[in-house]
């Protein structure tokens, strides 16, 4: 069965490449709703053309999300991804769509337009191939969203709602180097520390002032010391703003803190530590606000079970499928955190997400689609 799926997918390699290239050509930076919607409309037409029942989930400030259903069946498997990218319109001129040395280069190709096309081919394999027709017991629901790159504020609810109805969630985000799946992702978030001091003339009576800049310097050292690499806890002040004029003891400073943690418990620990910060200079005040906006994707039994199944299928395809973890978050963090078995990094094999050398390995694409099709079929 799996070999049939593979042969079906390999025979449609050109269709796959053409689909990926069409999506990459329609540049879709998260903040440009008009551009994202142009890409979404083309994607919707292509999904409908292969038998998908497409619903548009309209959004005012962001691009419209797409929900697509394939097949029937009582139970549901959710296939998840996004078509927004980090690249501005015009990036194609600087990173032209190029096939070279077995690779396809272009903005957003790896993260994650190739993943979308792979998912589409997997659905085709399950629905069109003679030997597999009727073998699909689950309904496939795909959610292709438009704001993953900025935290998924307008899609999270739909993602969680759809995940709750699903037996499993397959996230077609880029793989780790060499094709490995992501069975653990850190939770991540951002905090802002606001420090308030007392302003005073820096030349006439500086002793009457309490410097927010000096205080934030103390706090930055404390915050960065919360980092614990051995436990996978990352805490870093990444942006500081303070001071207004050259002759005034500054009365306000702000520090933005990037936080990452491998477990819900570790995230709670970081949250508590940031909120418990107290001033060194008692004339100043410090206050931290913020949250982990993506919970960790923890390597639970449910996640491992799904990975083992995928590895088994990959072996039948002749591949050694590894697993690994990453510090970056995805929408898989949401679905795993509510307890739905989630497997991430099932998308393209390649390198350079958010980087100028972004590319996918062309030869690996069809088998990746076969892997996803086989996995959907074998989910219980
Ligand atoms: Zn992505």
């Amino acid at each position: 069965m799996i070999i049939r799926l593979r042969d079906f997918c390999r025979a449609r390699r050109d269709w796959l490449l053409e689909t990926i290239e069409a999506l990459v050509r329609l540049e879709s930076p998260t903040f440009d709703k008009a551009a994202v919607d142009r890409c979404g409309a083309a994607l919707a037409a292509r999904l409908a053309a292969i038998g998908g029942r497409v619903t548009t989930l309209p959004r005012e400030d962001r691009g419209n999300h797409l929900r697509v259903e394939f097949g029937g069946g009582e139970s549901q498997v959710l296939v998840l991804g996004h078509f927004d990218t980090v690249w501005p319109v015009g990036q194609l001129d600087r990173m032209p769509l190029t096939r070279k040395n077995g690779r396809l280069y272009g903005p957003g190709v790896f993260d994650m337009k190739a993943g979308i096309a792979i998912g589409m081919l997997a659905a085709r394999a399950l629905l069109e191939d003679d030997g597999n027709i009727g073998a699909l017991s689950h309904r496939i629901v795909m959610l292709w969203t438009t704001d993953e790159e900025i935290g998924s504020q307008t899609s999270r609810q739909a993602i969680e709602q759809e995940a709750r109805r699903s037996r499993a969630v397959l996230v077609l985000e880029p793989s780790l180097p060499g094709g490995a799946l992501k069975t653990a992702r850190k939770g991540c978030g951002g905090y802002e520390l606001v420090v308030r001091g007392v302003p005073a003339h820096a030349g006439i009576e500086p002793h009457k002032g309490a410097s927010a800049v000096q205080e934030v310097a103390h706090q930055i050292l404390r915050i960065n010391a919360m980092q614990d690499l051995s436990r996978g806890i990352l805490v870093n002040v990444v942006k500081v703003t303070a001071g207004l004029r050259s002759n005034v003891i500054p009365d306000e400073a702000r520090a933005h803190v990037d936080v990452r943690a491998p477990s819900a418990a570790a995230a709670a620990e970081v949250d508590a530590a940031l909120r418990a910060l107290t001033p060194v200079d008692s004339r100043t005040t410090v206050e931290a606000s913020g949250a982990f906006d993506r919970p960790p994707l923890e390597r639970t039994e449910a996640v491992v079970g799904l990975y083992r199944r995928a590895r088994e299928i990959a072996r039948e395809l002749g591949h050694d499928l590894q697993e690994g973890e990453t510090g970056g978050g995805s929408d898989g963090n949401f679905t795993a955190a509510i307890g739905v078995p989630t497997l991430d990094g099932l998308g393209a094999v390649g390198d350079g997400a958010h980087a100028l050398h972004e590319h996918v390995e062309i030869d690996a694409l069809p088998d990746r689609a076969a892997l996803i099709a086989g996995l959907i079929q074998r989910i219980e």
Side-chain angles (χ1 to χ4, degrees), residues 82 111-112 148-149 173-174:
H82 62 93
D111 186 11
M112 52 155 276
E148 194 276 343
E149 294 292 1
E173 288 277 359

PDB file of all heavy atoms in Angstrom, residues 82 111-112 148-149 173-174, ligand 1:
ATOM      1  N   HIS A  82       0.699  27.107   7.464  1.00  0.00           N
ATOM      2  CA  HIS A  82       0.419  28.525   7.214  1.00  0.00           C
ATOM      3  C   HIS A  82       1.001  28.939   5.873  1.00  0.00           C
ATOM      4  O   HIS A  82       1.992  28.366   5.416  1.00  0.00           O
ATOM      5  CB  HIS A  82       1.023  29.393   8.321  1.00  0.00           C
ATOM      6  CG  HIS A  82       2.520  29.301   8.421  1.00  0.00           C
ATOM      7  ND1 HIS A  82       3.361  30.171   7.778  1.00  0.00           N
ATOM      8  CD2 HIS A  82       3.340  28.440   9.074  1.00  0.00           C
ATOM      9  CE1 HIS A  82       4.621  29.861   8.042  1.00  0.00           C
ATOM     10  NE2 HIS A  82       4.645  28.799   8.824  1.00  0.00           N
ATOM     11  N   ASP A 111       9.531  27.392   4.387  1.00  0.00           N
ATOM     12  CA  ASP A 111       8.664  27.761   5.506  1.00  0.00           C
ATOM     13  C   ASP A 111       7.524  28.636   5.000  1.00  0.00           C
ATOM     14  O   ASP A 111       7.634  29.852   5.027  1.00  0.00           O
ATOM     15  CB  ASP A 111       9.490  28.485   6.572  1.00  0.00           C
ATOM     16  CG  ASP A 111       8.697  28.766   7.827  1.00  0.00           C
ATOM     17  OD1 ASP A 111       7.591  28.227   7.967  1.00  0.00           O
ATOM     18  OD2 ASP A 111       9.176  29.542   8.668  1.00  0.00           O
ATOM     19  N   MET A 112       6.349  27.979   4.510  1.00  0.00           N
ATOM     20  CA  MET A 112       6.296  26.561   4.325  1.00  0.00           C
ATOM     21  C   MET A 112       5.390  26.176   3.162  1.00  0.00           C
ATOM     22  O   MET A 112       4.523  25.349   3.268  1.00  0.00           O
ATOM     23  CB  MET A 112       5.854  25.885   5.632  1.00  0.00           C
ATOM     24  CG  MET A 112       4.550  26.470   6.224  1.00  0.00           C
ATOM     25  SD  MET A 112       3.693  25.249   7.276  1.00  0.00           S
ATOM     26  CE  MET A 112       2.777  24.338   6.046  1.00  0.00           C
ATOM     27  N   GLU A 148       0.806  32.802  11.362  1.00  0.00           N
ATOM     28  CA  GLU A 148       1.668  31.973  12.209  1.00  0.00           C
ATOM     29  C   GLU A 148       2.970  32.682  12.544  1.00  0.00           C
ATOM     30  O   GLU A 148       3.485  32.579  13.654  1.00  0.00           O
ATOM     31  CB  GLU A 148       1.970  30.641  11.502  1.00  0.00           C
ATOM     32  CG  GLU A 148       2.577  29.574  12.415  1.00  0.00           C
ATOM     33  CD  GLU A 148       4.085  29.678  12.579  1.00  0.00           C
ATOM     34  OE1 GLU A 148       4.760  30.354  11.764  1.00  0.00           O
ATOM     35  OE2 GLU A 148       4.617  29.081  13.533  1.00  0.00           O
ATOM     36  N   GLU A 149       3.488  33.419  11.570  1.00  0.00           N
ATOM     37  CA  GLU A 149       4.802  34.043  11.767  1.00  0.00           C
ATOM     38  C   GLU A 149       4.784  35.142  12.822  1.00  0.00           C
ATOM     39  O   GLU A 149       5.842  35.582  13.276  1.00  0.00           O
ATOM     40  CB  GLU A 149       5.334  34.603  10.438  1.00  0.00           C
ATOM     41  CG  GLU A 149       5.660  33.526   9.394  1.00  0.00           C
ATOM     42  CD  GLU A 149       6.860  32.653   9.768  1.00  0.00           C
ATOM     43  OE1 GLU A 149       7.432  32.867  10.852  1.00  0.00           O
ATOM     44  OE2 GLU A 149       7.194  31.755   8.975  1.00  0.00           O
ATOM     45  N   GLU A 173       5.108  21.979   8.889  1.00  0.00           N
ATOM     46  CA  GLU A 173       6.207  22.938   8.996  1.00  0.00           C
ATOM     47  C   GLU A 173       7.489  22.252   8.518  1.00  0.00           C
ATOM     48  O   GLU A 173       7.566  21.025   8.454  1.00  0.00           O
ATOM     49  CB  GLU A 173       6.386  23.368  10.458  1.00  0.00           C
ATOM     50  CG  GLU A 173       5.292  24.284  10.987  1.00  0.00           C
ATOM     51  CD  GLU A 173       5.494  25.743  10.634  1.00  0.00           C
ATOM     52  OE1 GLU A 173       6.512  26.066   9.981  1.00  0.00           O
ATOM     53  OE2 GLU A 173       4.630  26.560  10.979  1.00  0.00           O
ATOM     54  N   PRO A 174       8.510  23.055   8.190  1.00  0.00           N
ATOM     55  CA  PRO A 174       9.783  22.473   7.734  1.00  0.00           C
ATOM     56  C   PRO A 174      10.327  21.433   8.697  1.00  0.00           C
ATOM     57  O   PRO A 174      10.120  21.530   9.905  1.00  0.00           O
ATOM     58  CB  PRO A 174      10.724  23.677   7.697  1.00  0.00           C
ATOM     59  CG  PRO A 174       9.862  24.869   7.624  1.00  0.00           C
ATOM     60  CD  PRO A 174       8.548  24.512   8.228  1.00  0.00           C
TER      61      PRO A 174
HETATM   62 ZN1  LIG B   1       6.488  28.120   9.553  1.00  0.00          ZN
END
